[in-house]
Amino acid sequence: MENSSLPNMLPNLTRGNNMFHGAITALITPFSNNQLDEAALRRIVRWQIDSGINGLVPVGTTGESPTLSEAEHKRVIEITVEETNKAVPIIAGAGSNNPIEAVDYSRHAAEAGADAALHVAGYYNRPNQRGLYAHYEYIHNNTELPIIVYNIPPRAVVGVDVATMAELAKLERIVGVKDATGDLTRPIRERALIKKPFSFLSGDDVSCVAYNVGGGNGCISVTSNIAPKQVVEIHRLCREGNFVAAAALQDKLFALHSALFIEPNPAGPKYAMSLLGFCSDEVRLPMMPLLDSTKETIRNTMKALELI
């Protein structure tokens, strides 16, 4: 069977909120002497846009949000909005296990000009499903931006169940999910229950093609910090239903995906970005500089892909 017939056979795979789709970069936050490097951040954002990226996420986990001050957090969003200048949608990291703080970050993101807010489930508090629903409902009812639910049980300990996600989707401005559960049945099961346009975004570069086969719209990507054009191409192929070619390109990038996560994120991506000349490889405690062996693996992988 020819690939060209796939889009007609799989009409549901492209449904969703088209505003948030494709390759969306979870931006690193560059530092210089432990201070926010504003000039480097501007260079990175401009390069991402020039590379054809479909969206940007400032101050997510990859942006070291847990160790940014409130002022730094807000400044990163402001700079990203300024440099993007409406070229692509911005989903601002605004999550907190304290819903009052999450509301404050969302309101600032709206004032700064972001297009949506990414909100993680209630880490450390470990709420049950009723508590998770109430957390998101409170944020929804006290803010104005569209909300992307960040479902990442490995970091948050708790996860948003399929049934809870479907209930959350009934709230007007909950418009999508960043799914880092590792469960590739999730988009299939959630699409069966969610009856409105909804963005199903993978949170895992390694499995993003399979996630898209199940009905996903794209990926909030770490690897696109380093190889934006290639990650954009993967998701363009997926939108066209050419999953065979998308999987082949994903296979080509597999070694890079793996190398970037040998040690805790974002130490790997930051070192890779330093090799590209965009910023230093500085991370904040408790993140640590990479071992020399990890640096060598990342460097060799990037050379093999002709990224450096």
Side-chain angles (χ1 to χ4, degrees), residues 202-259:
S202 171
D204 180 17
D205 281 292
V206 173
S207 60
C208 68
V209 173
Y211 185 89
N212 286 344
V213 170
N217 305 102
C219 179
I220 295 180
S221 168
V222 173
T223 301
S224 59
N225 277 285
I226 295 92
K229 290 181 180 179
Q230 292 86 340
V231 179
V232 166
E233 179 66 5
I234 285 174
H235 293 283
R236 183 189 69 80
L237 291 166
C238 286
R239 285 198 303 278
E240 294 176 356
N242 193 348
F243 296 112
V244 173
L249 183 50
Q250 181 178 255
D251 287 349
K252 185 177 179 181
L253 292 180
F254 177 75
L256 179 60
H257 299 326
S258 299

Short mmCIF file of all heavy atoms in Angstrom, two decimals, residues 202-259:
data_model
loop_
_atom_site.label_atom_id
_atom_site.label_comp_id
_atom_site.label_asym_id
_atom_site.label_seq_id
_atom_site.Cartn_x
_atom_site.Cartn_y
_atom_site.Cartn_z
N SER A 202 3.03 14.87 22.46
CA SER A 202 3.94 13.97 23.16
C SER A 202 4.95 14.77 23.97
O SER A 202 5.34 15.87 23.58
CB SER A 202 4.67 13.07 22.15
OG SER A 202 5.71 12.34 22.80
N GLY A 203 5.40 14.21 25.08
CA GLY A 203 6.48 14.81 25.85
C GLY A 203 7.75 14.01 25.74
O GLY A 203 8.66 14.19 26.56
N ASP A 204 7.86 13.17 24.72
CA ASP A 204 8.99 12.24 24.61
C ASP A 204 9.44 12.15 23.16
O ASP A 204 8.73 11.59 22.32
CB ASP A 204 8.57 10.87 25.14
CG ASP A 204 9.69 9.85 25.07
OD1 ASP A 204 10.85 10.25 24.93
OD2 ASP A 204 9.38 8.64 25.16
N ASP A 205 10.62 12.67 22.86
CA ASP A 205 11.13 12.64 21.48
C ASP A 205 11.26 11.22 20.94
O ASP A 205 10.99 10.98 19.76
CB ASP A 205 12.50 13.31 21.42
CG ASP A 205 12.41 14.83 21.41
OD1 ASP A 205 11.92 15.38 20.42
OD2 ASP A 205 12.84 15.46 22.40
N VAL A 206 11.68 10.29 21.78
CA VAL A 206 11.99 8.94 21.30
C VAL A 206 10.75 8.23 20.75
O VAL A 206 10.83 7.47 19.79
CB VAL A 206 12.64 8.10 22.42
CG1 VAL A 206 12.82 6.67 21.99
CG2 VAL A 206 13.99 8.70 22.81
N SER A 207 9.59 8.50 21.34
CA SER A 207 8.37 7.78 20.95
C SER A 207 7.35 8.68 20.26
O SER A 207 6.19 8.30 20.13
CB SER A 207 7.73 7.12 22.17
OG SER A 207 7.38 8.08 23.15
N CYS A 208 7.77 9.86 19.81
CA CYS A 208 6.78 10.83 19.31
C CYS A 208 6.07 10.36 18.05
O CYS A 208 4.89 10.66 17.85
CB CYS A 208 7.43 12.19 19.10
SG CYS A 208 8.64 12.26 17.76
N VAL A 209 6.76 9.61 17.18
CA VAL A 209 6.10 9.16 15.96
C VAL A 209 4.98 8.17 16.30
O VAL A 209 3.87 8.26 15.79
CB VAL A 209 7.10 8.54 14.97
CG1 VAL A 209 6.37 7.91 13.78
CG2 VAL A 209 8.07 9.62 14.46
N ALA A 210 5.28 7.23 17.19
CA ALA A 210 4.25 6.28 17.60
C ALA A 210 3.09 6.99 18.28
O ALA A 210 1.92 6.63 18.09
CB ALA A 210 4.85 5.24 18.55
N TYR A 211 3.38 8.01 19.07
CA TYR A 211 2.32 8.80 19.70
C TYR A 211 1.45 9.46 18.65
O TYR A 211 0.22 9.48 18.75
CB TYR A 211 2.94 9.83 20.64
CG TYR A 211 1.94 10.62 21.45
CD1 TYR A 211 1.50 10.17 22.69
CD2 TYR A 211 1.45 11.83 20.98
CE1 TYR A 211 0.59 10.90 23.43
CE2 TYR A 211 0.53 12.57 21.73
CZ TYR A 211 0.10 12.09 22.96
OH TYR A 211 -0.81 12.81 23.69
N ASN A 212 2.08 10.00 17.60
CA ASN A 212 1.32 10.64 16.54
C ASN A 212 0.48 9.64 15.75
O ASN A 212 -0.62 9.95 15.31
CB ASN A 212 2.26 11.39 15.59
CG ASN A 212 2.79 12.68 16.20
OD1 ASN A 212 2.26 13.19 17.18
ND2 ASN A 212 3.84 13.23 15.61
N VAL A 213 0.99 8.44 15.58
CA VAL A 213 0.20 7.39 14.92
C VAL A 213 -1.09 7.15 15.69
O VAL A 213 -2.15 6.92 15.11
CB VAL A 213 1.01 6.08 14.80
CG1 VAL A 213 0.12 4.93 14.35
CG2 VAL A 213 2.17 6.25 13.82
N GLY A 214 -1.01 7.23 17.02
CA GLY A 214 -2.19 7.02 17.85
C GLY A 214 -3.12 8.22 17.91
O GLY A 214 -4.14 8.16 18.60
N GLY A 215 -2.78 9.29 17.19
CA GLY A 215 -3.67 10.45 17.16
C GLY A 215 -3.06 11.73 17.67
O GLY A 215 -3.76 12.73 17.80
N GLY A 216 -1.77 11.70 17.97
CA GLY A 216 -1.12 12.91 18.47
C GLY A 216 -0.96 13.97 17.40
O GLY A 216 -1.01 13.70 16.20
N ASN A 217 -0.75 15.21 17.86
CA ASN A 217 -0.58 16.36 16.97
C ASN A 217 0.87 16.84 16.89
O ASN A 217 1.17 17.73 16.10
CB ASN A 217 -1.42 17.54 17.45
CG ASN A 217 -2.88 17.19 17.59
OD1 ASN A 217 -3.35 16.98 18.70
ND2 ASN A 217 -3.59 17.12 16.49
N GLY A 218 1.74 16.30 17.75
CA GLY A 218 3.11 16.79 17.75
C GLY A 218 3.82 16.45 19.03
O GLY A 218 3.44 15.52 19.75
N CYS A 219 4.87 17.23 19.35
CA CYS A 219 5.71 16.93 20.50
C CYS A 219 6.28 18.22 21.07
O CYS A 219 6.72 19.09 20.32
CB CYS A 219 6.85 16.01 20.08
SG CYS A 219 8.01 15.55 21.40
N ILE A 220 6.25 18.34 22.39
CA ILE A 220 7.04 19.36 23.07
C ILE A 220 8.40 18.73 23.30
O ILE A 220 8.57 17.85 24.13
CB ILE A 220 6.37 19.83 24.36
CG1 ILE A 220 5.04 20.52 24.02
CG2 ILE A 220 7.28 20.78 25.13
CD1 ILE A 220 4.26 21.04 25.21
N SER A 221 9.36 19.18 22.50
CA SER A 221 10.60 18.45 22.26
C SER A 221 11.80 19.07 22.97
O SER A 221 11.94 20.30 23.01
CB SER A 221 10.86 18.43 20.74
OG SER A 221 12.16 17.99 20.45
N VAL A 222 12.67 18.22 23.47
CA VAL A 222 13.97 18.64 23.98
C VAL A 222 15.00 18.65 22.85
O VAL A 222 15.78 19.59 22.69
CB VAL A 222 14.44 17.72 25.13
CG1 VAL A 222 15.87 18.06 25.55
CG2 VAL A 222 13.50 17.83 26.32
N THR A 223 14.98 17.61 22.02
CA THR A 223 15.96 17.48 20.95
C THR A 223 15.90 18.63 19.97
O THR A 223 16.91 19.00 19.36
CB THR A 223 15.78 16.14 20.23
OG1 THR A 223 15.92 15.08 21.18
CG2 THR A 223 16.81 15.95 19.13
N SER A 224 14.73 19.25 19.81
CA SER A 224 14.62 20.36 18.86
C SER A 224 15.39 21.60 19.32
O SER A 224 15.56 22.55 18.55
CB SER A 224 13.16 20.71 18.59
OG SER A 224 12.49 21.08 19.77
N ASN A 225 15.87 21.63 20.57
CA ASN A 225 16.82 22.66 20.95
C ASN A 225 18.07 22.60 20.08
O ASN A 225 18.64 23.63 19.73
CB ASN A 225 17.25 22.50 22.41
CG ASN A 225 16.29 23.11 23.40
OD1 ASN A 225 16.23 24.32 23.58
ND2 ASN A 225 15.52 22.24 24.07
N ILE A 226 18.47 21.37 19.72
CA ILE A 226 19.74 21.15 19.04
C ILE A 226 19.55 20.88 17.55
O ILE A 226 20.36 21.30 16.73
CB ILE A 226 20.49 19.96 19.69
CG1 ILE A 226 20.87 20.30 21.13
CG2 ILE A 226 21.71 19.53 18.89
CD1 ILE A 226 19.88 19.90 22.16
N ALA A 227 18.47 20.20 17.19
CA ALA A 227 18.23 19.82 15.80
C ALA A 227 16.81 20.22 15.39
O ALA A 227 15.99 19.38 15.04
CB ALA A 227 18.43 18.31 15.63
N PRO A 228 16.50 21.51 15.42
CA PRO A 228 15.12 21.93 15.17
C PRO A 228 14.61 21.57 13.78
O PRO A 228 13.46 21.13 13.64
CB PRO A 228 15.16 23.45 15.38
CG PRO A 228 16.59 23.83 15.24
CD PRO A 228 17.37 22.65 15.73
N LYS A 229 15.43 21.73 12.76
CA LYS A 229 14.95 21.46 11.40
C LYS A 229 14.57 19.99 11.24
O LYS A 229 13.56 19.66 10.61
CB LYS A 229 16.02 21.83 10.38
CG LYS A 229 16.24 23.32 10.25
CD LYS A 229 17.30 23.64 9.20
CE LYS A 229 17.51 25.14 9.08
NZ LYS A 229 18.56 25.47 8.08
N GLN A 230 15.37 19.11 11.82
CA GLN A 230 15.09 17.68 11.69
C GLN A 230 13.83 17.29 12.46
O GLN A 230 13.03 16.47 11.97
CB GLN A 230 16.29 16.87 12.20
CG GLN A 230 17.55 17.00 11.34
CD GLN A 230 18.41 18.21 11.71
OE1 GLN A 230 17.94 19.16 12.32
NE2 GLN A 230 19.67 18.15 11.32
N VAL A 231 13.63 17.85 13.64
CA VAL A 231 12.44 17.52 14.43
C VAL A 231 11.20 18.10 13.77
O VAL A 231 10.14 17.47 13.72
CB VAL A 231 12.59 18.00 15.88
CG1 VAL A 231 11.33 17.69 16.69
CG2 VAL A 231 13.79 17.33 16.55
N VAL A 232 11.31 19.30 13.22
CA VAL A 232 10.19 19.88 12.46
C VAL A 232 9.81 18.96 11.30
O VAL A 232 8.62 18.73 11.04
CB VAL A 232 10.57 21.28 11.93
CG1 VAL A 232 9.56 21.74 10.87
CG2 VAL A 232 10.61 22.29 13.07
N GLU A 233 10.81 18.42 10.61
CA GLU A 233 10.54 17.54 9.48
C GLU A 233 9.83 16.26 9.91
O GLU A 233 8.90 15.80 9.22
CB GLU A 233 11.85 17.20 8.76
CG GLU A 233 11.71 16.26 7.57
CD GLU A 233 10.95 16.86 6.39
OE1 GLU A 233 10.58 18.06 6.45
OE2 GLU A 233 10.70 16.13 5.42
N ILE A 234 10.20 15.70 11.04
CA ILE A 234 9.51 14.51 11.55
C ILE A 234 8.02 14.78 11.68
O ILE A 234 7.18 13.98 11.24
CB ILE A 234 10.09 14.08 12.91
CG1 ILE A 234 11.46 13.41 12.74
CG2 ILE A 234 9.13 13.12 13.64
CD1 ILE A 234 12.16 13.10 14.05
N HIS A 235 7.68 15.91 12.26
CA HIS A 235 6.26 16.19 12.52
C HIS A 235 5.53 16.65 11.27
O HIS A 235 4.32 16.43 11.16
CB HIS A 235 6.14 17.16 13.69
CG HIS A 235 6.59 16.53 14.97
ND1 HIS A 235 5.79 15.65 15.66
CD2 HIS A 235 7.77 16.60 15.64
CE1 HIS A 235 6.46 15.21 16.73
NE2 HIS A 235 7.65 15.77 16.72
N ARG A 236 6.24 17.25 10.34
CA ARG A 236 5.60 17.54 9.05
C ARG A 236 5.21 16.25 8.35
O ARG A 236 4.09 16.11 7.84
CB ARG A 236 6.55 18.33 8.15
CG ARG A 236 5.93 18.73 6.80
CD ARG A 236 6.96 19.32 5.86
NE ARG A 236 7.89 18.30 5.40
CZ ARG A 236 7.64 17.41 4.42
NH1 ARG A 236 6.45 17.40 3.83
NH2 ARG A 236 8.55 16.54 4.07
N LEU A 237 6.11 15.28 8.36
CA LEU A 237 5.81 13.98 7.75
C LEU A 237 4.64 13.30 8.46
O LEU A 237 3.79 12.69 7.81
CB LEU A 237 7.06 13.10 7.79
CG LEU A 237 8.21 13.53 6.89
CD1 LEU A 237 9.50 12.80 7.26
CD2 LEU A 237 7.87 13.29 5.42
N CYS A 238 4.61 13.41 9.78
CA CYS A 238 3.49 12.81 10.52
C CYS A 238 2.17 13.46 10.13
O CYS A 238 1.16 12.76 9.93
CB CYS A 238 3.71 12.94 12.02
SG CYS A 238 4.97 11.83 12.70
N ARG A 239 2.15 14.78 10.02
CA ARG A 239 0.89 15.46 9.65
C ARG A 239 0.41 15.03 8.27
O ARG A 239 -0.79 15.02 8.00
CB ARG A 239 1.08 16.98 9.69
CG ARG A 239 1.13 17.55 11.08
CD ARG A 239 0.87 19.05 11.09
NE ARG A 239 1.80 19.79 10.26
CZ ARG A 239 3.02 20.15 10.64
NH1 ARG A 239 3.47 19.80 11.84
NH2 ARG A 239 3.80 20.86 9.84
N GLU A 240 1.37 14.70 7.40
CA GLU A 240 1.01 14.25 6.06
C GLU A 240 0.65 12.76 6.02
O GLU A 240 0.29 12.24 4.96
CB GLU A 240 2.16 14.53 5.10
CG GLU A 240 2.41 16.01 4.89
CD GLU A 240 3.62 16.29 4.01
OE1 GLU A 240 4.30 15.31 3.62
OE2 GLU A 240 3.86 17.47 3.71
N GLY A 241 0.77 12.08 7.16
CA GLY A 241 0.47 10.66 7.21
C GLY A 241 1.60 9.78 6.74
O GLY A 241 1.43 8.57 6.59
N ASN A 242 2.77 10.35 6.51
CA ASN A 242 3.92 9.58 6.03
C ASN A 242 4.73 9.10 7.23
O ASN A 242 5.86 9.55 7.47
CB ASN A 242 4.76 10.43 5.08
CG ASN A 242 5.77 9.60 4.30
OD1 ASN A 242 6.00 8.43 4.62
ND2 ASN A 242 6.36 10.19 3.28
N PHE A 243 4.15 8.16 7.95
CA PHE A 243 4.77 7.71 9.20
C PHE A 243 6.01 6.85 8.97
O PHE A 243 6.88 6.79 9.84
CB PHE A 243 3.73 6.95 10.04
CG PHE A 243 2.59 7.81 10.48
CD1 PHE A 243 1.31 7.61 9.99
CD2 PHE A 243 2.77 8.84 11.39
CE1 PHE A 243 0.25 8.40 10.39
CE2 PHE A 243 1.72 9.65 11.80
CZ PHE A 243 0.46 9.42 11.30
N VAL A 244 6.10 6.22 7.82
CA VAL A 244 7.29 5.41 7.53
C VAL A 244 8.51 6.31 7.43
O VAL A 244 9.56 6.05 8.03
CB VAL A 244 7.10 4.59 6.24
CG1 VAL A 244 8.40 3.88 5.85
CG2 VAL A 244 5.98 3.57 6.43
N ALA A 245 8.39 7.40 6.67
CA ALA A 245 9.51 8.33 6.54
C ALA A 245 9.80 9.04 7.86
O ALA A 245 10.96 9.27 8.22
CB ALA A 245 9.21 9.35 5.44
N ALA A 246 8.74 9.35 8.61
CA ALA A 246 8.93 9.99 9.91
C ALA A 246 9.69 9.07 10.86
O ALA A 246 10.60 9.51 11.58
CB ALA A 246 7.58 10.37 10.51
N ALA A 247 9.33 7.80 10.85
CA ALA A 247 10.01 6.83 11.72
C ALA A 247 11.47 6.67 11.32
O ALA A 247 12.35 6.50 12.17
CB ALA A 247 9.29 5.49 11.68
N ALA A 248 11.75 6.71 10.02
CA ALA A 248 13.13 6.58 9.55
C ALA A 248 13.98 7.75 10.05
O ALA A 248 15.13 7.57 10.48
CB ALA A 248 13.17 6.50 8.02
N LEU A 249 13.41 8.96 10.02
CA LEU A 249 14.14 10.13 10.51
C LEU A 249 14.26 10.08 12.03
O LEU A 249 15.30 10.45 12.59
CB LEU A 249 13.42 11.41 10.07
CG LEU A 249 14.08 12.74 10.44
CD1 LEU A 249 15.56 12.77 10.05
CD2 LEU A 249 13.32 13.90 9.80
N GLN A 250 13.24 9.60 12.70
CA GLN A 250 13.32 9.42 14.16
C GLN A 250 14.43 8.44 14.51
O GLN A 250 15.19 8.65 15.46
CB GLN A 250 11.99 8.92 14.71
CG GLN A 250 11.99 8.74 16.23
CD GLN A 250 10.64 8.30 16.74
OE1 GLN A 250 9.90 9.08 17.33
NE2 GLN A 250 10.29 7.05 16.52
N ASP A 251 14.55 7.36 13.74
CA ASP A 251 15.62 6.39 13.96
C ASP A 251 16.99 7.05 13.81
O ASP A 251 17.92 6.78 14.57
CB ASP A 251 15.51 5.23 12.98
CG ASP A 251 14.36 4.29 13.31
OD1 ASP A 251 13.78 4.42 14.41
OD2 ASP A 251 14.03 3.44 12.46
N LYS A 252 17.11 7.94 12.82
CA LYS A 252 18.37 8.63 12.58
C LYS A 252 18.76 9.49 13.78
O LYS A 252 19.94 9.63 14.11
CB LYS A 252 18.26 9.47 11.32
CG LYS A 252 19.55 10.15 10.90
CD LYS A 252 19.36 10.92 9.60
CE LYS A 252 20.66 11.62 9.19
NZ LYS A 252 20.49 12.39 7.93
N LEU A 253 17.75 10.07 14.44
CA LEU A 253 17.99 10.96 15.58
C LEU A 253 18.03 10.22 16.91
O LEU A 253 18.29 10.84 17.95
CB LEU A 253 16.91 12.04 15.65
CG LEU A 253 16.90 13.09 14.55
CD1 LEU A 253 15.76 14.07 14.77
CD2 LEU A 253 18.22 13.83 14.47
N PHE A 254 17.79 8.90 16.89
CA PHE A 254 17.67 8.16 18.14
C PHE A 254 18.92 8.28 19.01
O PHE A 254 18.83 8.47 20.23
CB PHE A 254 17.38 6.68 17.87
CG PHE A 254 17.32 5.84 19.11
CD1 PHE A 254 16.23 5.91 19.96
CD2 PHE A 254 18.38 5.01 19.46
CE1 PHE A 254 16.17 5.16 21.13
CE2 PHE A 254 18.34 4.26 20.63
CZ PHE A 254 17.23 4.34 21.46
N ALA A 255 20.10 8.21 18.39
CA ALA A 255 21.33 8.29 19.18
C ALA A 255 21.45 9.65 19.86
O ALA A 255 21.95 9.76 20.99
CB ALA A 255 22.54 8.03 18.27
N LEU A 256 20.99 10.71 19.19
CA LEU A 256 21.03 12.04 19.80
C LEU A 256 20.03 12.13 20.95
O LEU A 256 20.37 12.63 22.03
CB LEU A 256 20.71 13.10 18.75
CG LEU A 256 20.70 14.55 19.25
CD1 LEU A 256 22.04 14.95 19.82
CD2 LEU A 256 20.29 15.50 18.12
N HIS A 257 18.79 11.64 20.73
CA HIS A 257 17.82 11.61 21.83
C HIS A 257 18.43 10.94 23.06
O HIS A 257 18.34 11.45 24.17
CB HIS A 257 16.57 10.80 21.44
CG HIS A 257 15.80 11.33 20.28
ND1 HIS A 257 15.67 12.67 20.00
CD2 HIS A 257 15.07 10.68 19.33
CE1 HIS A 257 14.91 12.82 18.92
NE2 HIS A 257 14.54 11.62 18.50
N SER A 258 19.05 9.80 22.84
CA SER A 258 19.59 9.02 23.95
C SER A 258 20.76 9.73 24.62
O SER A 258 20.85 9.78 25.85
CB SER A 258 20.03 7.65 23.44
OG SER A 258 18.94 6.93 22.90
N ALA A 259 21.65 10.29 23.81
CA ALA A 259 22.85 10.94 24.36
C ALA A 259 22.48 12.13 25.24
O ALA A 259 23.10 12.38 26.28
CB ALA A 259 23.77 11.37 23.23
#
